[in-house]
Each structure stands twice: as C-alpha cells, then as structure tokens.
Amino acid sequence: MLFIGICGASGSGKSTLAESLQARLGERCLVMQQDAYYIDHSHLPFEERVLLNYDEPSIFDHDLLLQDIRMLMAGEPITRKAYDYANHRRADTGEIIQPREVMILEGIHTFHDPRLCDLMYLKLYMNVETDICLLRRIHRDIKERGRDIDGISAQYLNTVKPMYDKYIKNYINEADVIVARGGKNARIVDILTGYVEDQLARNTTL
C-alpha cells in the first residue's frame, strides 16, 4: 500500500486534490479525512461544543486515527468514522472500509503526529494564500456545513488564523512536495498520478 498524506490550511484544496487523485486512480484509491477523527464531545451541551477550538492538534483522536491507518496498511478492514459539523459531534457509521492499493489522508494537522508521518510514502503540502483559503472556507461552511457568516468570522479570528500561524504553516517543512494553486492544479494531478502509477507498477514486479 502507498500511503499519501495531504496537509495544508483550511480551504487550501486538500479535499479537491485528494478527490482528483482518487478519480484518476479509480477503485485502487481510498481517501480518508482527518476531520472524521475529531474527539467526541457529545457529553457537552451544544453551546459549549460550539466554543471548542476545532483547529488545534489536540482536538483530534490521533491514537484512533493511527490505529485505523495501521490496520488498513496491514490489510485489515475498519469501520468508517464521520463527523457532524452542524451539531459538532461524532457521527460514526458501521460501514466497512476495505484496504486499497493507495490510501490518501487529508487534513489540517495530517503531519502533526510523527508516528503517522513515518508511515507516509509521500507527503504533500498545499501552499495557497490565506485570503484565498478564507474565501473558500466561507463558501464551503455556508453551503455544506450550515454555518452563518458571523460564526465563520468569529471562528476564523479566534482559532483558524492563530492555529495556522502557530502550527499549520510550519508543516511545509515536513513535505516531500509543495503544491501551488490548490487542488485544481491539473498539471500536479497529472504528475502525481503518473508517479503513483509508476510506483504501483514497480511494487507489482518486485
């Protein structure tokens, strides 16, 4: 299995790049989201869950994510983890996820856990201007996550931007490849697809 990590700011195009690669690689590729592994705080009232910092590393269940990644790399299936963004709580399902030849993990803190980084065959960092990321985040959160502009603005100023400055922008130092212009960069999709297919062919002949 080739394990690929994609890291970068919120709105930098991580999901778009992962989905573009999956579309090119087909059934051989599995995409996972780090966001599905937020620690469950359903025991807290909604008003308190809203105020949590969802952009700091400790908000994720790194041990559970690592466990699932190791199982998939060992050829074992896992159950799908999920998150309800509107209600700020976990929404895991019983769906079985089978291992594939290629696994992509994308998220803002994908490179935070060195145990996870050590398992990655290739690490990609999305290098996109922060103002573009903010515009994309506003559009996504309103359209897909049921947020309003006041809530998005408060979260960006209180947690998103500070955590980007403290952690996320520094993950570029962990990357093997720096991706410019976001996930719709057709040239980089072509290059990465060709590289991955070449590596899969090499592994098949070993």
Side-chain angles (χ1 to χ4, degrees):
M1 175 187 285
L2 295 183
F3 177 27
I4 300 172
I6 303 179
C7 189
S10 176
S12 61
K14 300 180 299 297
S15 297
T16 300
L17 179 59
E19 290 165 3
S20 297
L21 290 171
Q22 184 181 46
R24 294 288 295 274
L25 295 168
E27 293 298 321
R28 296 175 294 174
C29 182
L30 167 67
V31 173
M32 298 180 63
Q33 291 79 29
Q34 186 183 35
D35 283 2
Y37 288 82
Y38 279 120
I39 294 173
D40 189 30
H41 291 95
S42 57
H43 60 286
L44 297 176
F46 176 79
E47 293 74 17
E48 293 184 29
R49 297 200 300 271
V50 171
L51 299 177
L52 294 173
N53 184 347
Y54 289 92
D55 294 274
E56 65 174 356
S58 63
I59 200 71
F60 294 98
D61 192 336
H62 296 284
D63 290 337
L64 179 60
L65 175 57
L66 180 66
Q67 174 183 297
D68 278 358
I69 294 295
R70 283 176 170 167
M71 288 180 66
L72 288 167
M73 295 186 74
E76 301 176 23
I78 64 169
T79 56
R80 183 177 294 281
K81 311 305 185 293
Y83 195 76
D84 181 345
Y85 297 98
N87 294 298
H88 299 285
R89 59 186 301 168
R90 287 282 288 276
D92 296 352
T93 73
E95 180 186 354
I96 301 299
I97 304 299
Q98 298 289 346
R100 309 283 176 84
E101 292 180 75
V102 180
M103 175 170 55
I104 300 174
L105 174 68
E106 58 93 357
I108 59 174
H109 291 295
T110 301
F111 298 166
H112 179 75
D113 189 342
R115 300 172 301 174
L116 204 57
C117 284
D118 287 344
L119 299 176
M120 293 177 186
Y121 186 82
L122 185 65
K123 297 189 286 294
L124 311 175
Y125 183 87
M126 310 298 292
N127 191 23
V128 179
E129 292 291 337
T130 54
D131 55 347
I132 295 176
C133 292
L134 174 57
L135 290 173
R136 291 174 177 171
R137 181 185 176 95
I138 291 171
H139 178 77
R140 179 202 66 195
D141 283 3
I142 291 176
K143 185 177 180 180
E144 300 177 11
R145 300 184 178 179
R147 308 277 174 81
D148 59 48
I149 192 66
D150 290 337
I152 295 169
S153 299
Q155 187 178 31
Y156 182 81
L157 292 174
N158 294 331
T159 65
V160 177
K161 186 61 165 59
M163 295 299 99
Y164 172 81
D165 290 336
K166 184 175 182 179
Y167 296 105
I168 300 168
K169 71 178 183 180
N170 298 316
Y171 292 141
I172 194 171
N173 299 316
E174 302 295 329
D176 299 309
V177 177
I178 298 171
V179 179
R181 304 200 309 275
K184 295 184 179 180
N185 186 335
R187 185 68 57 82
I188 196 66
V189 173
D190 288 341
I191 293 171
L192 290 171
T193 300
Y195 175 77
V196 170
E197 289 179 336
D198 181 66
Q199 297 307 304
L200 290 175
R202 289 171 181 266
N203 290 346
T204 300
T205 59
L206 292 179

